[in-house]
Amino acid sequence: MDIFWLILGLVLILVGADALTDGASAMAKRWGVSDLVVGLTVVAFGTSAPELAISLVSALKGSAPMAVGNVVGSNIFNVLVIIGIVAIIKPIKIQSSIMVNELPLVMLSSVALLAIGCGDVLGVAGTREITRPEGILLLLFFMIFMRYTFSQAKQTPATDPTAENAASKPLMPMWKSIVWVIGGLVGLVYGGDRFVAGASGIASSLGMSDALIGLTIVAAGTSLPELATSVTAAMKGKTGIAIGNVIGSNIFNIFLVLGLTGTIMPLPFGGITEFDLLVMTGASILFWLFSWKFAERTITRWEGGCMFAFYIAYIACQIVMM
């Protein structure tokens, strides 16, 4: 039965990603904003929904290490696997504004969680948990990020959808775009849930801990929407959605998912080690370094391959330490 849920979840994720990409891209053109802004907001929030749902449910059911491990593992997967695979398919051209504005926020979110995980920030000295004050602090960072993103959307020059699509296919009607986005999100969220249910059942039967399941199986499963959406977007030439999806999802995961969950109830890190947090932070720094390719600002296929290889090495370390 677990294998059936794995296959069903994967099918729903792939179909949902295709619908979400088409709908979000059409909305971006009609609203006159860039694919990047849509990727940072609508798509990122939608593909982060599985992490939010699973982290909240895990914490409320007493499996806080799985909640934290889900976010840490997802952020590692997002950068090393998704960016790596997308770059292998098609080298990613990084806008200068992303280098200056969005990528530093990705690194800041990782460093903030690393600081909380390695020592006390606003909680009780000597504890390794996200306390309520720290959860509120993360939520404040999230609000600042959203304020910045919406201000960027207002500054985006408006485009004429009719002129832009005069020589190409007709622009998708707004009602259809909304249906595509909502239907795609439903497929992604439910598909991710079914995939995780099947994968977690298999992993539990093998005797894996909650923290390890969260870092690997659940993290990869809840990141499948991001993977499917980014790969689909890249293949359709929508690199703005692909890169914005990953950046927005990583920021959402730490600032919103852990911030909201930590505000509701304290989240102990449990089996999530400093090594895992360092890998997550190192991945975000590597993302920035590979993006800064002299004046080209391009993540090449070779660099994408290196990022994917680093993830394989990380998983190998987890298996050895299990």
Side-chain angles (χ1 to χ4, degrees):
M1 194 63 180
D2 290 331
I3 295 178
F4 169 76
W5 290 130
L6 278 173
I7 297 174
L8 176 63
L10 183 59
V11 171
L12 288 174
I13 285 170
L14 293 176
V15 174
D18 186 69
L20 177 61
T21 301
D22 288 344
S25 178
M27 290 172 69
K29 293 175 182 177
R30 189 170 291 276
W31 288 340
V33 299
S34 66
D35 285 339
L36 176 62
V37 172
V38 175
L40 285 169
T41 54
V42 177
V43 179
F45 182 80
T47 55
S48 288
E51 283 90 343
L52 178 59
I54 288 174
S55 292
L56 283 172
V57 172
S58 298
L60 292 173
K61 289 185 176 180
S63 300
M66 181 179 291
V68 179
N70 177 29
V71 167
V72 173
S74 292
N75 280 20
I76 294 172
F77 187 94
N78 286 350
V79 173
L80 297 183
V81 176
I82 297 179
I83 295 297
I85 290 178
V86 169
I88 291 173
I89 294 173
K90 184 176 183 179
I92 305 173
K93 185 75 173 179
I94 306 296
Q95 300 175 15
S96 58
S97 61
I98 295 178
M99 296 294 304
V100 176
N101 301 318
E102 281 80 22
L103 281 182
L105 282 174
V106 175
M107 291 188 286
L108 173 63
S109 64
S110 298
V111 170
L113 188 58
L114 174 64
I116 294 172
C118 291
D120 173 64
V121 176
L122 295 177
V124 181
T127 61
R128 289 188 71 247
E129 66 178 16
I130 300 175
T131 62
R132 284 191 175 91
E134 290 164 345
I136 293 172
L137 179 63
L138 293 176
L139 283 178
L140 289 176
F141 277 123
F142 174 72
M143 293 177 187
I144 293 172
F145 166 69
M146 292 304 296
R147 175 89 170 91
Y148 157 76
T149 303
F150 285 127
S151 68
Q152 289 294 104
K154 291 180 181 179
Q155 295 172 11
T156 303
T159 58
D160 182 357
T162 304
E164 184 179 345
N165 291 272
S168 58
K169 62 181 181 180
L171 186 64
M172 184 184 295
M174 178 56 82
W175 69 266
K176 188 175 181 181
S177 300
I178 295 174
V179 170
W180 251 230
V181 169
I182 295 176
L185 289 176
V186 170
L188 288 172
V189 173
Y190 185 71
D193 176 73
R194 291 300 84 202
F195 182 92
V196 170
S200 297
I202 296 173
S204 297
S205 66
L206 298 176
M208 297 172 65
S209 67
D210 282 348
L212 186 56
I213 292 174
L215 281 167
T216 54
I217 304 297
V218 178
T222 55
S223 288
L224 279 180
E226 285 93 335
L227 175 61
T229 302
S230 292
V231 170
T232 302
M235 293 179 68
K236 293 183 177 182
K238 304 295 181 181
T239 55
I241 289 180
I243 196 76
N245 176 32
V246 170
I247 292 174
S249 293
N250 275 29
I251 295 173
F252 273 52
N253 285 348
I254 293 178
F255 288 157
L256 176 62
V257 175
L258 290 185
L260 181 60
T261 308
T263 300
I264 294 173
M265 63 183 301
L267 289 177
F269 282 78
I272 310 302
T273 66
E274 285 82 359
F275 171 71
D276 300 312
L277 298 173
L278 285 170
V279 170
M280 178 190 67
T281 305
S284 65
I285 295 173
L286 188 67
F287 187 8
W288 184 83
L289 289 175
F290 279 175
S291 300
W292 197 272
K293 185 177 173 61
F294 301 105
E296 298 178 13
R297 297 191 305 275
T298 302
I299 301 179
T300 64
R301 286 189 171 90
W302 180 85
E303 290 167 338
C306 287
M307 296 173 85
F308 186 75
F310 287 148
Y311 183 78
I312 298 300
Y314 169 69
I315 293 299
C317 290
Q318 291 290 351
I319 294 174
V320 170
M321 295 186 296
M322 186 171 65

